[in-house]
Amino acid sequence: MKNKKLNYISEEQKEVKKFIIVLIGLIILIVGIYFFTKAFITKDLFKDNEEIKYTDGVINYDIAIVGNMLNRPFDEYYLIAFDSENNKATYYNALISKYMSKEKKLKIYHIDLNNELNKKYITTDNNVSKNFENIEKLKLGEVTLIKVENKKVTNFITNIDEISKELTK
């Protein structure tokens, strides 16, 4: 005599079984679409994630803005202001490099007039400030060399020949 297995499955169990099969099929379909787009659309399925390179941020302490130009940590220093996008910027940078190669020198900071924070201090009518009561009234020309001693401006030069003489003496 054979043992017959009786199958007593209710309608609710059949519905749950169908639901689980549909759910598993749907999950397989979504995972398949994900890998398909990763492999063929974005083409980064087989790329190694180690290719992503991060660079450390660098702070340049040789750059100043006009608003804090008198707050540098030295008692005596120079500030040279010019637009880094200017055609003569290479010449101005060469002057700075030549000055920095001297054995006895003061610290020199660059004020980039192309920086948005410094644009309000640029004069357009060649009315450069020689004497100014506060920084808000300062107007800089194409190139300006400022000497600061004990947080006060002691020399203000706007002529490139005079700037060159000052930095080479």
Side-chain angles (χ1 to χ4, degrees):
M1 194 163 137
K2 290 185 178 178
N3 282 342
K4 284 190 176 181
K5 195 175 189 185
L6 297 174
N7 219 357
Y8 297 106
I9 298 176
S10 68
E11 285 296 317
E12 292 157 354
Q13 289 174 331
K14 287 180 185 178
E15 289 297 320
V16 170
K17 190 175 180 182
K18 283 182 189 177
F19 175 74
I20 292 174
I21 291 171
V22 168
L23 187 62
I24 290 173
L26 191 60
I27 291 172
I28 290 172
L29 180 67
I30 291 172
V31 170
I33 290 172
Y34 170 77
F35 282 111
F36 176 80
T37 57
K38 196 146 176 83
F40 296 107
I41 306 294
T42 61
K43 296 183 172 107
D44 65 349
L45 177 65
F46 305 110
K47 286 185 180 175
D48 193 6
N49 286 340
E50 293 178 22
E51 290 180 24
I52 299 172
K53 303 283 185 208
Y54 296 99
T55 58
D56 294 332
V58 178
I59 298 173
N60 189 344
Y61 292 103
D62 294 332
I63 295 178
I65 58 172
V66 174
N68 68 6
M69 71 182 201
L70 299 177
N71 299 333
R72 304 283 91 197
F74 297 97
D75 291 334
E76 190 175 5
Y77 54 91
Y78 285 113
L79 296 150
I80 187 163
F82 63 89
D83 186 343
S84 63
E85 300 293 319
N86 187 328
N87 296 342
K88 299 176 184 173
T90 306
Y91 174 70
Y92 303 146
N93 284 322
L95 272 176
I96 294 169
S97 295
K98 186 175 179 182
Y99 174 75
M100 293 306 291
S101 68
K102 291 172 55 174
E103 190 172 310
K104 193 172 182 178
K105 63 186 177 280
L106 296 176
K107 179 71 175 165
I108 190 164
Y109 294 96
H110 172 229
I111 297 175
D112 187 359
L113 298 179
N114 193 37
N115 184 326
E116 285 298 320
L117 298 172
N118 297 326
K119 287 198 178 195
K120 68 180 181 179
Y121 300 103
I122 301 172
T123 184
T124 54
D125 57 1
N126 291 333
N127 191 13
V128 179
S129 304
K130 290 283 186 177
N131 297 317
F132 52 95
E133 295 145 14
N134 60 30
I135 299 239
E136 294 302 318
K137 294 185 179 182
L138 174 67
K139 292 296 179 189
L140 301 169
E142 180 182 328
V143 62
T144 306
L145 182 70
I146 303 168
K147 186 173 184 182
V148 176
E149 293 179 35
N150 298 318
K151 307 211 182 284
K152 296 191 185 314
V153 175
T154 59
N155 201 357
F156 194 91
I157 305 170
T158 58
N159 182 305
I160 190 60
D161 293 329
E162 291 178 29
I163 291 172
S164 180
K165 286 178 188 174
E166 178 73 19
L167 292 178
T168 55
K169 68 176 183 177

